[in-house]
Structures are given as structure tokens and as C-alpha cells.
Amino acid sequence: DVKVTQSSRYLVKRTGEKVFLECVQDMDHENMFWYRQDPGLGLRLIYFSYDVKMKEKGDIPEGYSVSREKKERFSLILESASTNQTSMYLCASSSNLDSFSGYTFGSGTRLTVV
Amino acid sequence: GESVGLHLPTLSVQEGDNSIINCAYSNSASDYFIWYKQESGKGPQFIIDIRSNMDKRQGQRVTVLLNKTVKHLSLQIAATQPGDSAVYFCAAGPGTYKYIFGTGTRLKVLA
């Protein structure tokens, strides 16, 4: 069964901390994504990576950075966590950008910044 | 800016009835539309998609209708089952990864 695994289900961090959210996929997909999901809002794309060491900014990249040193792993980094980054973070991978049907999502990391 | 919105935050239907979830989008240049669902504690799960050169597409127990004139998208679920309970989302985009996602409709199936 194909999988996207996010390292933490729940995370509580303090304001100003550097936070790493990890995502690993076992499908050899080129494309990986980080989204943010807030109540009352749809998914919003933070960053997209189409290959190792390659990335593109999404709709809301401010306050975030990413790292993709290996094909299977895509990390989201909050350089200095703030309370407005409290949210559900979802990672996804896909081999095909032409269709959403090929996206596989992780179960999400619920991050609380206090 | 561009927007995608679902008409109702919550929809309750009797088990065995048909469900219809509606969605409106603002960008007439959108070329690709999707429906997905999300169950509590899980990631999004793709249901069905449709491209702008079609106005109807059917899957297993689901049908998506696209009306480009009024920029409206609907998802019909036949013979709704308790396992269909979830939050349903629509999204629109140009056909690449740049989607605009809607806010979601929670479908409650009543026994």
C-alpha cells in the first residue's frame, strides 16, 4: 500500500522555536507538496518540490522554508514559529501534475504554537 | 482574487437517499475541477475530477456536473451510506498543481 508518512501527528512548540515537519513517501514520486489547512479555509499550498533540491513557492510561503535532499523526503521548516502558524499541515506526493487523482496525502501534523 | 466556495457548511441526508453538494468558482479560465473528501483524522482522498471540455462525468456511485456558464460544480452521491460521512471539498485550477480549494461541506448521513 502506497504511503506518505508524516513524522508527528501532534506537535506543540513555543513561539520563536525552529520547527521541522518531516514527510516521507515510498512511491518514488518526483513531486511533493506541503499544504496548510485551517478551519473555514480550503487547503493552501506552502511549497512544492518537483525534484531533489528543486522547489517552488506556493501561495503562502512567508515564514516557511523547505528542504529536499533525498527524493523520498520533504521537510517543512518554520524558521521562527509564531502563533499564527498554528494549523494542520498536510504533505502530499504525486507522480503526475496533470491530475489530482494521483496525489497521495499524509494524515497531517497538527501544530500548536504557544 | 480567485475563489472557490461550497454552498452549505453542513448537509444532512437520510441513509439510502441521494446527496448533492454544490460548489461555485470564480475564475472562468479554470480548466480542471476536482472533488475530494476528508474523514476525521485522515488526509484528503480523491473522489472524481472533470475537465472543462466535459459537463458530466460518472464514477462509482458519484457523478460530477459542471456548468461553465454559471461557474457551478456539483457532486452527486447515489444511495448515500454511513461510510460517506466526511467533509467534501471542491477545487478548481488550470490543470497543473495550482489549485484553488474550497472550504468544505460536512456530509452527515442519518440512519
Side-chain angles (χ1 to χ4, degrees):
Chain A
D1 199 19
V2 295
K3 268 193 173 175
V4 174
T5 303
Q6 295 184 230
S7 55
S8 302
R9 197 64 188 268
Y10 299 95
L11 214 50
V12 180
K13 295 292 181 181
R14 295 198 179 276
T15 302
E17 275 194 76
K18 189 169 187 176
V19 181
F20 293 85
L21 302 184
E22 305 288 346
C23 176
V24 178
Q25 51 103 355
D26 64 1
M27 296 161 284
D28 201 36
H29 285 167
E30 292 82 13
N31 308 299
M32 296 188 75
F33 309 83
W34 275 107
Y35 292 92
R36 175 174 169 159
Q37 187 174 36
D38 295 294
L41 297 175
L43 288 176
R44 291 183 291 169
L45 181 64
I46 304 172
Y47 266 99
F48 157 57
S49 170
Y50 53 92
D51 203 347
V52 173
K53 296 189 188 294
M54 307 305 289
K55 62 185 179 185
E56 283 193 15
K57 292 180 180 179
D59 300 318
I60 51 163
E62 296 79 18
Y64 303 95
S65 62
V66 290
S67 172
R68 190 146 179 223
E69 297 296 319
K70 293 185 177 181
K71 191 175 186 179
E72 67 269 19
R73 186 179 297 269
F74 191 34
S75 303
L76 179 69
I77 303 155
L78 286 66
E79 298 291 342
S80 177
S82 63
T83 54
N84 63 13
Q85 292 178 308
T86 291
S87 188
M88 170 70 86
Y89 290 88
L90 287 159
C91 175
S93 75
S94 173
S95 62
N96 178 8
L97 292 180
D98 294 336
S99 170
F100 197 77
S101 63
Y103 282 52
T104 301
F105 281 84
S107 295
T109 295
R110 187 168 294 281
L111 172 67
T112 302
V113 182
V114 297
Chain B
E2 296 180 46
S3 67
V4 173
L6 279 88
H7 292 181
L8 293 174
T10 304
L11 176 67
S12 296
V13 297
Q14 209 65 38
E15 181 178 355
D17 286 353
N18 296 335
S19 303
I20 299 176
I21 303 172
N22 295 298
C23 176
Y25 62 96
S26 66
N27 188 351
S28 56
S30 295
D31 185 54
Y32 177 66
F33 306 87
I34 55 177
W35 282 99
Y36 67 96
K37 71 177 189 180
Q38 192 168 9
E39 297 172 15
S40 183
K42 296 185 179 180
Q45 179 185 352
F46 171 83
I47 300 171
I48 193 167
D49 56 8
I50 188 167
R51 297 198 183 270
S52 60
N53 60 352
M54 304 173 71
D55 52 21
K56 181 179 180 179
R57 191 166 186 221
Q58 289 184 288
Q60 188 174 9
R61 276 200 313 118
V62 295
T63 300
V64 55
L65 299 177
L66 175 62
N67 185 329
K68 294 180 287 293
T69 302
V70 295
K71 291 182 278 190
H72 181 270
L73 189 70
S74 69
L75 176 72
Q76 301 177 5
I77 305 172
T80 311
Q81 302 168 359
D84 294 326
S85 293
V87 181
Y88 288 77
F89 297 86
C90 68
T96 65
Y97 67 93
K98 296 182 179 180
Y99 303 108
I100 304 295
F101 294 88
T103 52
T105 290
R106 181 173 297 279
L107 177 65
K108 295 183 179 179
V109 182
L110 308 172

